[in-house]
Amino acid sequence: MKLSNILFAIFCAGTLAVQVLVNLGFKKGYEEHLLFVKNQVFPINDFPLENIKVVIAKGVRFTLYLTKNQQGFKQDVRPEGITFKAQGDTLFISSKDGKHHERNYFETYFHRVPNLILLNANANIIANSEEELNTRIEKNSQLLVEQSSFRKINAEVKDKSTLSFKADATVDLLEVKLTDSAVLRDNNAKITQIVPTYISNKASLSFSGKALRALHSLPSNAF
C-alpha cells in the first residue's frame, strides 16, 4: 500500500474516532471545561494589583471592573498574544499587532480604580464607587463608563477618540479637555456638573438635556 493511502486511512480513522467521542458525550464535557477555564480569574504576572496606580493599554479591548474580592484578569482560553507587564506602579497591557479587535477582548479586576491611559484601545469601565478617575484617551481610543458612580472624573480626550457615558452612570463632577477631533457623549447619564477646560474647534459634543443643564460655561476658545 502506498504511503499516501496509509496516511489517508489514518486520517479517516482519527476523524471517525473524534466523531464517536463527540457522540458519546465528550463534547459536552469538553465545552464545560472550556467554560470553566474561561471564567477563572488569573493573577497578572503574580504582581499584586493593589500596587498598580496606572494602567496603560495599547491595541486591546477590555472591561475594567472594580471589585472587593477579585484581582487579576479573565480571558478566553485561546492564546491571542496579549501581554501584561508591570514596571513600578504602572501596568502595561498590549497586543502583538497594536490594534484592538474582537479576539483581543479580556476583563480586568481591581480593588481600586487606577489612572487609565488608552492608546488605540477600546475599554469599558464598571466601577460602582465614589472614587476619582483620571484618564487620557488618545490615538482613536474609546472609553465607555457604565454602571458606575464617580465622585470626579478628569479626562483628556485626543485625536479622534471618544469618551461616552451610559444612562446608568453617575458622576458628580466631570472635568474634560477635548483636543483635535475628540468626541464626548453623555447618553442621558446622571452628571451633576460638567466643566470643559478646553474644547478644540473640531471636537464634537453630543449632550442630552440633563448634560446641558449640568454644563458649566464653555471655555473662551470653544468653537
Side-chain angles (χ1 to χ4, degrees):
M1 183 181 293
K2 293 182 178 179
L3 178 60
S4 59
N5 292 336
I6 294 175
L7 294 176
F8 179 73
I10 293 174
F11 171 77
C12 291
T15 302
L16 180 61
V18 170
Q19 293 295 328
V20 170
L21 291 175
V22 168
N23 292 332
L24 288 176
F26 284 89
K27 180 179 180 181
K28 182 179 180 181
Y30 178 67
E31 290 177 344
E32 289 177 349
H33 172 71
L34 290 182
L35 183 62
F36 170 79
V37 174
K38 184 176 180 179
N39 286 333
Q40 300 309 296
V41 177
F42 302 99
I44 297 177
N45 294 344
D46 297 322
F47 193 89
L49 292 188
E50 59 265 21
N51 294 343
I52 293 296
K53 296 181 180 179
V54 181
V55 171
I56 300 177
K58 181 178 180 180
V60 291
R61 188 175 73 87
F62 68 101
T63 299
L64 189 154
Y65 291 92
L66 188 68
T67 64
K68 293 182 179 179
N69 301 321
Q70 293 177 314
Q71 282 198 109
F73 76 100
K74 182 167 63 177
Q75 182 190 0
D76 197 314
V77 295
R78 294 168 298 177
E80 299 298 349
I82 297 174
T83 61
F84 300 87
K85 183 179 181 181
Q87 291 183 351
D89 63 358
T90 301
L91 177 66
F92 297 87
I93 308 174
S94 61
S95 61
K96 285 184 177 179
D97 58 10
K99 299 179 180 179
H100 64 79
H101 33 63
E102 291 298 319
R103 67 176 182 270
N104 279 346
Y105 176 76
F106 61 94
E107 299 172 359
T108 55
Y109 299 83
F110 287 82
H111 290 173
R112 295 186 61 84
V113 177
N115 293 346
L116 188 59
I117 300 173
L118 303 179
L119 307 171
N120 191 29
N122 188 332
N124 293 30
I125 184 166
I126 299 177
N128 192 8
S129 71
E130 294 300 328
E131 293 192 34
E132 180 175 324
L133 170 65
N134 295 289
T135 181
R136 191 170 79 242
I137 310 162
E138 58 182 293
K139 298 190 182 300
N140 306 325
S141 296
Q142 298 181 48
L143 176 61
L144 175 63
V145 181
E146 58 177 326
Q147 301 176 44
S148 297
S149 177
F150 285 104
R151 174 175 52 84
K152 182 179 180 181
I153 293 181
N154 291 300
E156 181 179 359
V157 192
K158 305 175 66 174
D159 308 312
K160 295 181 179 180
S161 301
T162 300
L163 171 62
S164 58
F165 298 83
K166 277 196 172 182
D168 54 13
T170 300
V171 182
D172 292 339
L173 173 61
L174 169 62
E175 291 187 351
V176 61
K177 179 179 180 180
L178 304 173
T179 63
D180 308 310
S181 300
V183 178
L184 174 64
R185 296 192 183 99
D186 82 296
N187 296 314
N188 214 30
K190 302 174 184 67
I191 305 176
T192 303
Q193 186 178 14
I194 302 173
V195 179
T197 58
Y198 177 86
I199 301 178
S200 78
N201 56 8
K202 294 182 180 179
S204 174
L205 301 175
S206 179
F207 281 167
S208 65
K210 286 183 180 179
L212 288 174
R213 289 190 292 272
L215 182 64
H216 196 268
S217 59
L218 293 173
S220 58
N221 70 290
F223 313 112

